[in-house]
Amino acid sequence: MTNQMFCFQCEQTAGCKGCTGAAGVCGKKADTAGLQDQLTGALIGLARAVEGNEGMVTEAIDRVVLESLFSAVTNVNFNNETLKALIQRVDEEKAGLIRRVNEKNTIQRCNESNSPCGRSDNYDMNKLWAENEDIRSLKSLILFGIRGVAAYAYHAAVLGYTDKEINQFFHKALRMIGEETCEINELITMALKVGEINLKCMALLDQANTETYGNPAPTTVSLKVEKGPFIVITGHDLLDLKLLLEQTEGKGINIYTHGEMLPAHAYPELKTYSHLKGNFGTAWQNQQKEFANIPAPILYTTNCLMPPKASYADRVFTTEVVSYPEIVHIGEEKDFTPVIQKALELGGYETDMQFTGINGGTEVMTGFGHNAVLSVADTVIDAVKAGAIKHFFLVAGCDGARPGRNYYTEFVKQTPKDTVILTLACGKYRFNDLDLGTIGGLPRLMDMGQCNDAYSAIKVAVALADAFGCEVNELPLSMILSWYEQKAVCILLTLLHLGIKNIKLGPTLPAFLSENVVSYLADNFNIGLIATPEEDIREILG
Ligand code: SF4
Ligand code: SF3
């Protein structure tokens, strides 16, 4: 295995250029990065075999594609063994597909467009990293984008919601990444298509979540941890939470959400469980501090997993595609007994513990999804018409460790009182415990949910534009986004696909965007880097 790596897919990449050498900033080792590249190369081989044979793609192929793409998202899978097993599964699925195609074609001779006869070789990702800067940039945008989309498609799939167009699109995009000759324009079109497909995928996940658990309703969530045994559950997978709630019912164990699991409190089907008590901790980058010596187990259902410190590694559990060497993994049978036993053994705190958010607040609110916000659309529209609401800010996206991220806290604090802040994803922990007051009976700060609930923000924006008879870009709405990992990449592409302009992005621009690609985005979409809260608010509000 190599001790040299190249990875520049996330915001904390070394020197804002790329992680090289023996390990990345996230703790991913060179051999793991190499296996993720090999897995991506195998997926490209499979995608080549699929070309022209789409009708013969099985559920097992769809499943392994989602798992593999999701496994390469930042802070998901650090485990060489599971990555090797995935590579093997991808290669086996490809071989099986080729065999089936060849059996079908025994009489009919293969022609050149019939992939299994010619082009089903796996791709060497080092070719991509050595490409011309602009081609590498756009192909990376596509690759990182589909990794994000796959994560959302995976969550929808575990609830039984799948979509053929989405699944087939992954193959098209993967094939383009492996193509030797590609025009810049084709790559730009494909990148925007990733955004279009992601919109479809977020809508599918929204349908899956709301049909399974009901429509989120505004809910206040306590940051207090009650005495006695408890389990902290983090990540985005609501089904894992539901199964954990079922298995812990009546056992004297309380459940606390963490990170992106917070919006779960707003779903009617999940809030019926009285032992779903509150939220523990803040965003992912604080986990090594917050979990040190915690008297409870932590279950990771998706990103963001940081390498567990020795102080709490014995109480960390993973499930689904999250994996870390030597950490207990709960498999597909979803028997959470080891987590439950650990909770009982550790016993929790001896007295109730009142924790606070970053700004000292003792509770937070969530549950302002599209259904909740649009049910008060008339009030909102009247407030805008009467001048009570002057502007909407969508301050949303991932949190991260970079010091400049307090921009988002300061931005929210400095917004005038006649403005509304919509938020979503884990970046909100910078300000979600602030009491910003109300406008016309509505809270000024509304948490729409997880990152995939960007779908709600889009629905609300489109509904407001309809009500005012204008384009979304003409609304008194500004998007101030923060990014960290690849789900933020696909959401950004969705906003670009919708033609949304003037987005302010931070804390830095993605290292994988070449100068020319940045210029293209600035010229066509007026995307800019955040400046200071004062300057940006002044510029936006005039
Ligand atoms: Fe570096 Fe981010 Fe890649 Fe980790 S995921 S190796 S921090 S660029
Ligand atoms: Fe956060 Fe990892 Fe992106 Fe779903 S939990 S948003 S960073």
Side-chain angles (χ1 to χ4, degrees), residues 255-270:
I255 307 296
Y256 293 87
T257 56
H258 170 270
E260 277 283 71
M261 199 58 88
L262 164 64
H265 290 276
Y267 285 90
E269 280 298 314
L270 298 172

Side-chain angles (χ1 to χ4, degrees), residues 67 70-79 82-83 86 154-155 234-237 240 287 298-308 316-325 327-331 334 487:
E67 274 183 53
F70 193 0
S71 292
V73 166
T74 300
N75 288 345
V76 170
N77 195 318
F78 296 80
N79 195 332
T82 55
L83 292 169
L86 275 171
Y154 184 97
H155 291 307
T234 188
H236 303 68
D237 199 308
D240 284 324
Q287 65 190 262
I298 308 119
L299 174 65
Y300 285 80
T301 67
T302 66
N303 54 323
C304 275
L305 169 71
M306 293 172 84
V316 170
F317 296 83
T318 59
T319 191
E320 296 298 329
V321 295
V322 194
S323 188
Y324 196 90
I327 292 293
V328 179
H329 187 78
I330 307 295
K334 294 289 174 189
K487 299 182 198 177

Side-chain angles (χ1 to χ4, degrees), residues 5 7-14 18-19 23-28 74-75 484 486:
M5 65 183 285
C7 181
F8 64 167
Q9 69 170 347
C10 84
E11 177 268 332
Q12 69 179 356
T13 195
C19 292
V25 177
C26 62
K28 180 165 77 180
T74 300
N75 288 345
Y484 171 64
Q486 298 73 50

Side-chain angles (χ1 to χ4, degrees), residues 472-489:
V472 170
N473 282 320
E474 293 164 339
L475 285 172
L477 164 71
S478 305
M479 302 198 183
I480 317 296
L481 307 183
S482 53
W483 85 285
Y484 171 64
E485 36 78 34
Q486 298 73 50
K487 299 182 198 177
V489 175

